[in-house]
Amino acid sequence: MSSLLLKTLTKKEEIDRIIRDTIDEVLVLRFGRCTDTVCLQHDDILAKSVTDVSKFAKVALVDVDSEDVQVYVKYFDITWFPSTVFFFNAHHMKLDSGTADHTKWVGAFHIKQDFIDVVEVIYRGAMKGKMIVQCPVPPERIPKYNLLYKDV
Amino acid sequence: MKKPSKKSEIEYCKVCRLHHDHGSRHKYFPRHKYLLSTFLDRFRTKIADVRFFLKNPSVLRPQEQSQNRVWCVFCDEDIVELGSSFACSKAINHFASSDHLGNIKQFLSKNGPAMDCIDDFRITEANVAKWEKKCQSLGNEDASSFKGSCEQLSGTSNDIHNKLAFKTMDKIENVPAHHINVLPLQYNTNEYQISHSELPGVAHYGSYLNMDASHLPLRTDPPTNLPGNGFGKHSIPFRSKDYPSNQEEENKQIKGSYSSPVMTSISSSHSSDACGNVHSGAPPPWLDANDGNSSNVQLNQSDMSSFQAKIPGKTRKLNPNRVGAAWAERRKIEMEMEKRGHAMNSKVDADWLPNFGRVWQSGTRKESRKEFEKEKRKLIKTESISTESEPVEIQPYISKRARRESGENGSG
């Protein structure tokens, strides 16, 4: 169901195009697999919220199993799925959620409102010129994970 | 440390018309200040009406006594002119009284602005004394003419200003025509002109007179054409010669108007020019003059809208300090050029990477990109090295002696 509403990107060119064509809006890129259960839950939240944030955000899914996309998987240091990366005017937006990785959101959102709040905070921060914003989601709803440095 | 705000008793604010527990702070609230200014302005207009009668006392007829009433907001009482012979006499006496002054002070201290506006809401005793003198002089003059005017004017009017107009007309009747060259303006200009126009087809049904006694300018020059009125062919007869005859017309008009307020019809032949009208589908006169300009304006607007539509996204000005603003502007221009058909560099470099701050990296984002590209190159080199080496064929081990022997056998 979510694939009907959200675009799934499988090539680097498509990702480049969507990053370059999204102007003055937040671009949400979800890196994950459509077969993974957590990814499915995450995609469900994204699909339900896409209309609510449509005026200031765009959402797209990236299939991590595609070979063409591996360069981005490495570039963005994606080790957990699903991982959500935020862009604004082709600039990466960081999100300080209290976890080890500020460059992306790892895991699924619990509720729709959390995702909308995060996108809104990113949009507001970006419009003010901030490259990193504070996450508005309360800590109990932020997924926890261990970040490994080069498999250590 | 902030002191906890003391909760005071619930009070009712007459100005804001609500209950509150703000205590004495309430009068400083901006909403209260705003409502207070409108509240006092309304009362000022009422006082202004009463002051008018202070300067121009007029006789109050019995049938209008019940209608001539004023509510005093400071004293919370209704002042009805029952049993008074002059208009607003009880109101004038009330506003001059000491009780009223006391109530004003109390109100202003509780609700309001500074005490310097007390005089706006009261009448001084000196003014009252003057008014009383005028009333006395009036009382002597009007004893005879009062009854006559009552018979003439049968209609009732709720507007206290009309009383003054009746008064002036009564005066005019008694004054001989040759003594005066000017008349106070009794009616609103348009109605007067309409009712007195001698155009063909005009039916004198009488005019609905909205008599506003506050407009009493004395005209010295007989106006020939009043601006903005197409009926200015016949001037208002303010000339002494025409006065007696017109006075009768005026009286007739008055009679007709107060018995039944009826509109005056306008001759259609005069109003409809050769140009046509709304019913005939003619264009309005303001567009005729601007024919060329309006079309140009429309074109410009359409140009603007098309130009704005070309630029995607919001038309309002965005923050120039937002993230990636310079890049966004450049990109917008590129996209516009592409849409127009210019062959721009639409092909994106395959190695293009967005601005990204990596996880295990310190320094600027450009450095992270450079670092990534280094890693990529290293990876490619190692891969190429591995692909360039030929696949080794596994062969069984042949000893040196066996090779020598096979070599000798071959040579021998």
Side-chain angles (χ1 to χ4, degrees), chain A residues 16 26 45-46 51 54 58-59 61-63 65 69 73 76 82 91 93 99 105-106 114-115 117 130 139-141:
Chain A
D16 289 348
V26 177
I45 298 277
L46 293 180
T51 46
S54 58
K58 261 194 222 172
V59 183
L61 311 177
V62 179
D63 186 12
D65 293 326
V69 163
V73 171
F76 296 154
H91 283 62
M93 294 294 295
T99 55
W105 173 274
V106 175
D114 285 347
F115 170 69
D117 290 343
K130 298 188 179 178
E140 55 267 17
R141 293 208 289 268

Side-chain angles (χ1 to χ4, degrees), chain A residues 12 21 24 92 123 126-127, chain B residues 314 319 322 331 352 365:
Chain A
K12 185 183 182 289
D21 289 349
D24 295 330
H92 169 232
Y123 181 76
M127 286 308 244
Chain B
K314 296 162 191 171
N319 183 3
R322 67 189 188 282
R331 186 77 189 119
W352 180 84
R365 294 185 177 193

